[in-house]
Structures are given as structure tokens and as C-alpha cells.
Amino acid sequence: MRNYELDITPASICTRLISIREQIAEEFANDLGVLAHTMGQHTMDSYYDLMEDIGLQKTKDRNNNGRRLPPHNLVFLGYALDPIDGFTPSPLRQHNFDLAVLLATQESIHRLLNKHCNDNDPHRQYLLEFYVERLESHFTGTQRYGRADDFLEELLFGPPRQVSVVQGEGTTVVVDPVRVAEWILQERREVALEWQSACKNIPSKDHIQIKRLQLDRLMQSYNSNT
């Protein structure tokens, strides 16, 4: 059995890591734009089209994956951002996108709950209860794909609920789940745009200092050899 010695240059590993990180960041920036500008609108359009088609009768005929609403068109995830450069998308792009959608949906829920801090707000009470009931099944651990869409669909097709405004006084308000879902999608759009901006800054701002250090080390190595 032979032993081989290999020289490992940490700077080369760093360069490769930066390259991969920049590719993922560029994909995230593009895909978060899709999430912000098309997916929320597609969800609501599909819901209203379904309601106008045959009323609630059609909702009984679910498709193979158990959903009432049609799936989003995610064909773009299989293509490179720039087909001219010849690079294929990162191997985990589809998985990363599904995770980004789930995290953006959860973040939008958290922000809505924090905005409506009044415990007597009926919409906040309804959303908090609905979210907590599905926290482990939709937002925790390694599970199926499309959990964010599952959560929104369950919310859209949930029945209106009477929520007490002030405990002990018997005052109730009817909460419309569709309205709550629209608020989540509007907030998710803002979250996606915010994260998109952060991803765009990774190659131009976050990596500039690291690349500067790499260049300094390269120049030091060159000067020492000469």
C-alpha cells in the first residue's frame, strides 16, 4: 500500500468556497425575485379561479399530491442563470429554493405577529393559533417539500372562525382566513425582496475584503519567491 503526499493550499480552498458561495447567492437572488413577484400572485389567482369555476365542488377533486391548487411552474430551477457561460445550476438549487420559500413564509408570519402585538387583535389570535398548530408539521425538521404551499392552502380553504376580542366580555369577531393569507403573501414579498438585496451584496461587498486578503497573500508569496 502506497502513501501519497499532497500539498494543500488553504488559499485555493478559500477561492473555491467563495466561487460556490457566489453562485448560490446569485441563484438565491434570482429565485427570491421569482418568489416576490410571481408566486404569491399565482397562489391567489389560482384560488380565486378555483372558487369561480365550479364553486367549492371542484375543491373536493384533489390532484395526486393532495392539493387543491395547481403547482407553481418551477422549470426555471433546472436552467443556468446565464446559458451563455455554459455552467449548470448548483446541484441543490431546487432544494435550496424550497427551503427559501419555507423560511420566507415563516419569517413573514413572525413579522405579522410582531406587528400586531395586541393580544386582543382577532386576526393575530387566529394566525398565532393556526401557526402554532402546524409549527412541527410544516416548519420543523426534515420533511416533505412544498410545506409552505401546504400551509397557505390549508389557511385559504379553512372556514371562517369566530374569535373573542376581549376575554370575558363575550365580544366576538369573524376572521376571514383568506384575508390573513393575503397579508402573509404581501409580507412574504417584502421579506423576499429584502433577502434578495442581501444576496446581491455578497459578491460585491461581503467578499471584497476576503479577496483583498487573498491578493495580499499572493503578492507576499510572489515577493518571497523572487
Side-chain angles (χ1 to χ4, degrees):
M1 183 176 182
R2 289 188 175 185
N3 294 326
Y4 296 91
E5 293 185 0
L6 298 176
D7 293 331
I8 298 177
T9 306
S12 300
I13 299 177
C14 181
T15 300
R16 180 57 179 160
L17 289 174
I18 289 177
S19 175
I20 296 174
R21 189 184 183 197
E22 289 182 351
Q23 180 186 5
I24 295 176
E26 291 176 357
E27 290 177 351
F28 263 129
N30 177 82
D31 300 345
L32 286 169
V34 175
L35 173 61
H37 297 297
T38 65
M39 289 187 65
Q41 189 64 43
H42 175 263
T43 297
M44 295 311 303
D45 288 346
S46 299
Y47 171 77
Y48 287 119
D49 289 344
L50 188 58
M51 292 298 97
E52 293 175 359
D53 195 352
I54 316 180
L56 294 176
Q57 182 63 33
K58 189 174 180 180
T59 65
K60 298 179 181 179
D61 301 327
R62 299 186 177 207
N63 50 31
N64 293 331
N65 61 6
R67 291 182 182 159
R68 297 178 175 94
L69 300 179
H72 301 286
N73 185 358
L74 303 180
V75 177
F76 67 94
L77 295 175
Y79 297 94
L81 298 181
D82 185 3
I84 299 179
D85 61 18
F87 292 107
T88 59
S90 58
L92 299 179
R93 184 181 181 187
Q94 296 187 27
H95 314 292
N96 292 340
F97 179 74
D98 183 81
L99 178 60
V101 174
L102 181 67
L103 293 177
T105 303
Q106 186 176 36
E107 175 65 16
S108 65
I109 295 171
H110 290 177
R111 293 188 182 187
L112 284 175
L113 292 174
N114 291 330
K115 284 182 179 179
H116 301 274
C117 295
N118 186 1
D119 292 335
N120 292 325
D121 186 330
H123 294 89
R124 184 183 189 279
Q125 292 182 39
Y126 175 83
L127 177 58
L128 179 60
E129 180 181 345
F130 190 90
Y131 171 62
V132 171
E133 289 176 350
R134 292 161 178 79
L135 180 60
E136 292 188 3
S137 61
H138 291 66
F139 298 97
T140 305
T142 303
Q143 300 184 34
R144 64 192 182 281
Y145 293 122
R147 286 174 285 167
D149 292 331
D150 292 342
F151 179 88
L152 290 169
E153 183 173 304
E154 292 171 17
L155 182 60
L156 284 168
F157 289 98
R161 182 180 302 179
Q162 289 186 339
V163 179
S164 298
V165 178
V166 180
Q167 296 182 356
E169 295 187 4
T171 304
T172 60
V173 174
V174 177
V175 175
D176 182 10
V178 177
R179 184 180 182 187
V180 177
E182 289 177 334
W183 287 348
I184 293 175
L185 292 173
Q186 291 172 4
E187 190 68 31
R188 191 175 73 174
R189 180 180 185 276
E190 299 303 318
V191 171
L193 291 175
E194 179 183 318
W195 291 359
Q196 181 188 45
S197 177
C199 289
K200 288 181 178 179
N201 289 333
I202 289 178
S204 60
K205 294 183 179 180
D206 294 2
H207 286 171
I208 189 67
Q209 186 64 26
I210 299 176
K211 291 181 177 180
R212 189 175 298 162
L213 292 173
Q214 283 184 305
L215 181 59
D216 292 342
R217 293 289 300 273
L218 180 62
M219 294 303 298
Q220 291 176 4
S221 176
Y222 176 78
N223 293 332
S224 62
N225 292 332
T226 58

